[in-house]
């Protein structure tokens, strides 16, 4: 189970602890092929093909150790998107990134794929291919991508690459990597695509949740993204980058994602979620 800032400690490796956390939520683990990489997938499916499938994408995990050394394994200590998916009653799958969850030693994996190129073309292409294969197995007619933090970056970049994606929801999503690195004084993500300039969202509904107190990815990033690309922004008072998305999920997601009437930036109208 989740304890504080991560999974329960013990002798098991981080990938093994994530597996145990997923199993405790009734999720099945698979490893599927993408384009040049393999991907760990956790799934909870209905017996019959549902009208829509929710696909969750995790944040960046641990790209760096102490901010200076590339991690040998970027698997997150706290798989936050997996925790969100565990609270979602709809049919859902969790799509891992290349090289995460115990695959960091596989051919083609190198630290740049979870550091500077964490949102690079090869990462996006392989995730798109993996998701295409999964969807073809059951013929899901519609897909909603749900991305947390850097997973929101990837969800937006994947939107036009996977047929069937009808909606994208980001939670504390990094939707402008240039603005984000500049705000924190980080080195630019030179090998990555920036969703602010690379997103192609024509025909895809998109909703972006932001925490009013988020000091990691400020609400202004989501607002600027929506000004350029359309979509909706819901800024939630009292929330930051971590608190309190899991506790309020899926109560935030299900009504907001199904409603066409939420206007951009609900907080400005004094209608933030309470």
């Amino acid at each position: 189970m989740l304890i504080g800032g991560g999974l329960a400690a013990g002798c098991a490796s981080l990938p093994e602890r994530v597996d145990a956390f997923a199993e405790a939520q009734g999720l099945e683990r698979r490893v599927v092929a993408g384009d040049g990489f393999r991907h760990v997938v956790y799934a909870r499916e209905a017996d019959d093909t549902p009208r829509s499938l929710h696909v969750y994408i995790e944040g960046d995990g641990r790209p760096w150790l102490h901010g200076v050394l590339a991690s040998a394994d970027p698997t997150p200590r706290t798989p936050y998107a997996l925790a969100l998916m565990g609270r979602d009653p709809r049919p859902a799958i969790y799509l891992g990134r290349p090289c995460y969850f115990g695959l960091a030693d596989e051919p083609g994996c190198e630290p740049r794929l979870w550091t500077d190129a964490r949102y690079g073309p090869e990462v996006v292409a392989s995730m798109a291919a993996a998701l295409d294969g999964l969807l073809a197995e059951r013929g899901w007619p519609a897909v909603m991508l749900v991305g947390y933090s850097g997973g929101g970056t990837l969800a937006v970049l994947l939107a036009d690459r996977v047929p069937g994606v009808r909606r994208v929801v980001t939670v504390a999503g990094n939707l402008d990597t240039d603005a984000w690195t500049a705000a924190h004084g980080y080195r630019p993500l030179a090998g990555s695509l920036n969703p602010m300039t690379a997103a192609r969202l024509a025909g895809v509904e998109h909703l972006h949740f932001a925490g009013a107190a988020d000091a990691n990815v400020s609400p202004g990033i989501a607002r600027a993204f929506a000004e350029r690309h359309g979509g909706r922004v819901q800024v939630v008072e009292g929330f930051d980058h971590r608190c309190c998305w899991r506790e309020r999920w899926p109560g935030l997601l299900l009504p907001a994602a199904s409603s066409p009437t939420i206007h951009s930036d609900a907080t400005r109208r004094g209608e933030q979620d309470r």
Side-chain angles (χ1 to χ4, degrees):
M1 62 183 294
L2 285 171
I3 297 180
L7 297 177
C11 296
S13 68
L14 276 174
E16 289 171 333
R17 285 182 245 167
V18 174
D19 284 348
F21 177 56
E23 183 178 1
Q25 298 183 85
L27 307 177
E28 295 185 359
R29 182 185 190 273
R30 298 176 57 189
V31 179
V32 303
D35 181 3
F37 301 95
R38 299 200 305 160
H39 302 257
V40 171
V41 171
Y42 299 103
R44 181 185 64 248
E45 303 173 11
D47 292 335
D48 299 323
T49 299
R51 291 191 303 170
S52 65
L53 177 74
H54 295 178
V55 177
Y56 283 77
I57 304 173
E58 191 58 77
D60 294 342
R62 300 185 306 150
W64 299 98
L65 297 177
H66 311 297
V68 293
L69 299 174
S71 297
D73 182 348
T75 299
R77 291 188 180 277
T78 303
Y80 208 80
L82 190 59
L84 295 180
M85 176 175 150
R87 298 177 67 87
D88 186 343
R90 304 289 179 86
I93 64 174
Y94 175 97
L95 175 62
R97 305 190 196 195
C99 311
Y100 280 60
F101 305 107
L103 304 182
D105 292 331
E106 294 212 335
C109 288
E110 54 182 318
R112 71 181 187 87
L113 293 175
W114 54 86
T115 56
D116 290 348
R118 69 187 75 171
Y119 316 126
E122 58 268 67
V123 171
V124 176
S126 191
M127 294 184 73
L131 185 52
D132 275 338
L134 289 165
L135 298 179
E137 290 179 3
R138 292 285 298 272
W140 282 289
V143 175
M144 180 171 74
L145 302 178
V146 182
Y148 168 71
S149 191
T153 314
L154 288 168
V156 168
L157 293 171
L158 283 166
D160 72 327
R161 295 170 181 256
V162 181
V165 172
R166 300 289 181 265
R167 192 186 303 268
V168 172
V169 175
T170 70
V171 179
N174 185 356
L175 304 176
D176 186 342
T177 56
D178 290 343
W180 179 74
T181 54
H184 290 282
Y186 297 154
R187 184 172 65 189
L189 301 180
S192 292
L193 300 169
N194 182 358
M196 179 62 84
T197 55
R200 302 290 183 270
L201 290 162
V204 177
E205 295 181 21
H206 47 115
L207 167 63
H208 309 287
F209 287 107
D214 192 339
N216 186 345
V217 181
S218 74
I221 287 180
R223 290 171 178 148
F225 185 86
E227 287 175 3
R228 180 164 185 166
H229 294 280
R232 296 175 283 148
V233 175
Q234 186 168 351
V235 179
V236 187
E237 291 293 338
F239 282 40
D240 58 25
H241 201 65
R242 291 291 181 111
C243 178
C244 303
W245 305 109
R246 182 172 67 91
E247 292 78 4
R248 296 290 300 278
W249 208 257
L252 284 169
L253 171 70
L254 299 182
S258 62
S259 171
T261 60
I262 296 176
H263 300 285
S264 180
D265 200 346
T267 296
R268 290 183 181 173
R269 301 181 355 266
E271 299 176 7
Q272 66 273 7
D273 184 274
R274 299 183 189 277

